[in-house]
Amino acid sequence: MRKKIAFIFISHHDLTGGGGAERFLAQSFDSYKNLGSFDFNLYFITDEYTCRNLRSVGKLKTRDNIIIIKNEKNVILNEVFLQIRIIKLLFKLKLDLIHIWMPSSRYLPFLIFINQIKRTIKSKLAINIVDCSVAHYYLGKNKTDHYG
């Protein structure tokens, strides 16, 4: 039985002025799907806006195993409902690995919850943060620039 892995990538709506890490993730998924021989059952879980923007730059060309979650018009409700819908999906899919790409601080409660239930859903959790400003601001003099 092939292992089931999901890339979770939500709320990355603007790719103007960069988006290199976002494009890299989507290209990695596309490349894997184009191999033809699969060792893993790979899913890409995203929201409507992020998917639309990635497709507008020629990424996520395949339709296989892409799960698109509906966005809400209200910003606050959108964040809450996206996270609830993803949690329901995690229980349904029974994944071996949940790989969350570039979560922001607003996903901290979601990440804490996922970390708590990972044994229940029998999944491992991986988080990937790509931020090229870390090196420049890690020990910044301004509190807003300070990462350490």
Side-chain angles (χ1 to χ4, degrees):
M1 185 177 203
R2 295 185 300 181
K3 299 265 184 194
K4 295 195 292 186
I5 298 171
F7 290 157
I8 298 177
F9 191 65
I10 57 173
S11 297
H12 292 271
H13 304 157
D14 187 8
L15 300 178
T16 59
E22 292 87 345
R23 294 168 200 243
F24 175 78
L25 171 63
Q27 182 62 46
S28 298
F29 182 80
D30 285 341
S31 296
Y32 184 77
K33 287 299 183 183
N34 290 332
L35 286 175
S37 172
F38 307 118
D39 294 332
F40 303 101
N41 197 359
L42 186 61
Y43 296 90
F44 195 100
I45 300 172
T46 191
D47 62 279
E48 293 171 315
Y49 301 144
T50 302
C51 185
R52 186 178 319 124
N53 284 322
L54 287 169
R55 287 187 171 149
S56 75
V57 295
K59 307 301 179 199
L60 294 185
K61 296 174 187 174
T62 183
R63 300 278 190 236
D64 297 337
N65 287 4
I66 296 178
I67 300 171
I68 303 169
I69 299 170
K70 180 181 179 277
N71 287 101
E72 301 293 328
K73 294 190 189 300
N74 180 299
V75 176
I76 294 170
L77 286 179
N78 187 53
E79 296 299 330
V80 171
F81 282 115
L82 278 176
Q83 293 174 27
I84 290 170
R85 289 173 181 141
I86 289 173
I87 289 166
K88 285 181 179 180
L89 265 173
L90 298 179
F91 280 104
K92 180 181 174 185
L93 293 173
K94 298 179 181 165
L95 301 163
D96 295 292
L97 177 65
I98 302 163
H99 191 150
I100 302 174
W101 272 73
M102 299 173 55
S104 65
S105 59
R106 67 179 173 242
Y107 295 106
L108 189 57
F110 172 71
L111 292 172
I112 291 169
F113 183 75
I114 295 298
N115 193 48
Q116 295 299 315
I117 67 164
K118 68 183 179 186
R119 287 189 181 123
T120 305
I121 59 176
K122 298 181 179 159
S123 299
K124 293 185 179 176
L125 177 64
I127 300 171
N128 177 266
I129 299 172
V130 178
D131 186 344
C132 60
S133 65
V134 171
H136 299 288
Y137 298 111
Y138 186 74
L139 295 175
K141 293 181 181 174
N142 296 328
K143 290 190 185 248
T144 57
D145 294 339
H146 191 74
Y147 281 84

